[in-house]
Amino acid sequence: MDLDNLLNKIQQIEHGFQHIIDGADEILPAYSKEQCFELALELFRHDAYQFRMLATTILGRLATENNNALCFLKGTVSIDRNWRVQEMLAMAFDEVCKCGGYEASLPLIEEWINDDNPNVIRAVTEGLRIWTGRPFFNENPSIAIALISKHKAHESKYLRKSVGNSLRDISKEHAELIRNEIQQWDLANPRIHFTYRLATKLL
């Protein structure tokens, strides 16, 4: 595999995510897991956000078995200022949960969703969308709603937008559960009202 050529092609594409996923699909079988981990760390130090997106995707695949990769995602990738990198972090987190099983991943989900960093929390709320399309949460929508709703008043508008949109997704099939949830909200709080408007768009 011509890694330099692959990286050059990726760097030239400014929009979208599929080329990043395709790049990871080429790299992972071509090298050992240890080599892929070291390559991801090297790529993440690069100024080009495309390389950091690729690194995040590779780390998400490795994090299903490599706790160092998971810790790097949570502690380092989550503070990257590029929104595209944060989108890849959300996808990477879902990859970890999917491989481990969503029910078995509940402790990890709760750990990340209770973090102080809004990007770590958003990796959960956004990564698992549509929540009720995921095994376990499809059968337990109330658990999904409870996990998501705890951040309805978060100071981060970026996170609250994800919270509201995630609840709106769930309302398509579980409108009554969403109604029951929002009845408890203090709409006098402007942050909560912002989330409320997004969550109730389809009600």
Side-chain angles (χ1 to χ4, degrees):
M1 190 193 78
D2 188 340
L3 180 60
D4 289 338
N5 184 50
L6 174 64
L7 294 177
N8 184 53
K9 287 181 179 178
I10 286 176
Q11 189 173 4
Q12 292 179 38
I13 301 174
E14 296 185 2
H15 304 291
F17 305 108
Q18 190 58 49
H19 63 293
I20 301 294
I21 296 169
D22 292 343
D25 286 341
E26 284 192 50
I27 290 171
L28 284 158
Y31 300 97
S32 70
K33 291 178 180 178
E34 293 76 13
Q35 289 173 318
C36 288
F37 181 66
E38 292 303 321
L39 174 61
L41 298 183
E42 180 182 343
L43 288 171
F44 199 81
R45 291 192 288 267
H46 205 281
D47 288 337
Y49 66 82
Q50 295 95 329
F51 289 178
R52 303 199 306 279
M53 291 170 70
L54 178 60
T56 302
T57 303
I58 293 171
L59 290 166
R61 305 280 185 86
L62 298 175
T64 59
E65 299 176 359
N66 184 334
N67 192 58
N68 289 330
L70 184 63
C71 289
F72 191 90
L73 288 171
K74 184 182 180 187
T76 302
V77 175
S78 68
I79 60 176
D80 193 285
R81 294 185 178 184
N82 191 289
W83 69 269
R84 296 175 182 86
V85 175
Q86 296 308 319
E87 290 299 317
M88 303 316 295
L89 175 61
M91 294 183 193
F93 185 77
D94 184 53
E95 180 72 19
V96 173
C97 294
K98 180 173 67 175
C99 289
Y102 291 95
E103 183 174 8
S105 297
L106 268 177
L108 179 65
I109 291 170
E110 291 176 347
E111 175 193 329
W112 278 49
I113 214 163
N114 288 313
D115 198 79
D116 292 332
N117 182 345
N119 286 340
V120 172
I121 302 168
R122 186 186 177 278
V124 184
T125 59
E126 195 67 22
L128 271 59
R129 285 181 64 188
I130 297 172
W131 281 65
T132 48
R134 278 21 181 198
F136 178 71
F137 294 114
N138 180 48
E139 299 297 325
N140 298 277
S142 295
I143 294 177
I145 293 168
L147 286 167
I148 300 166
S149 296
K150 64 171 59 182
H151 293 296
K152 60 186 177 291
H154 199 281
E155 63 181 0
S156 168
K157 185 177 180 180
Y158 186 52
L159 172 57
R160 278 184 281 122
K161 184 176 180 180
S162 178
V163 168
N165 287 338
S166 295
L167 293 172
R168 181 201 63 206
D169 291 341
I170 296 173
S171 76
K172 294 176 182 178
E173 294 184 0
H174 303 284
E176 199 58 35
L177 291 178
I178 297 298
R179 287 194 183 96
N180 292 339
E181 170 61 34
I182 61 176
Q183 283 175 359
Q184 307 170 51
W185 292 9
D186 176 13
L187 300 183
N189 183 322
R191 292 178 181 172
I192 295 178
H193 193 263
F194 173 87
T195 308
Y196 169 85
R197 284 190 291 112
L198 293 172
T200 58
K201 270 190 173 181
L202 301 179
L203 295 181

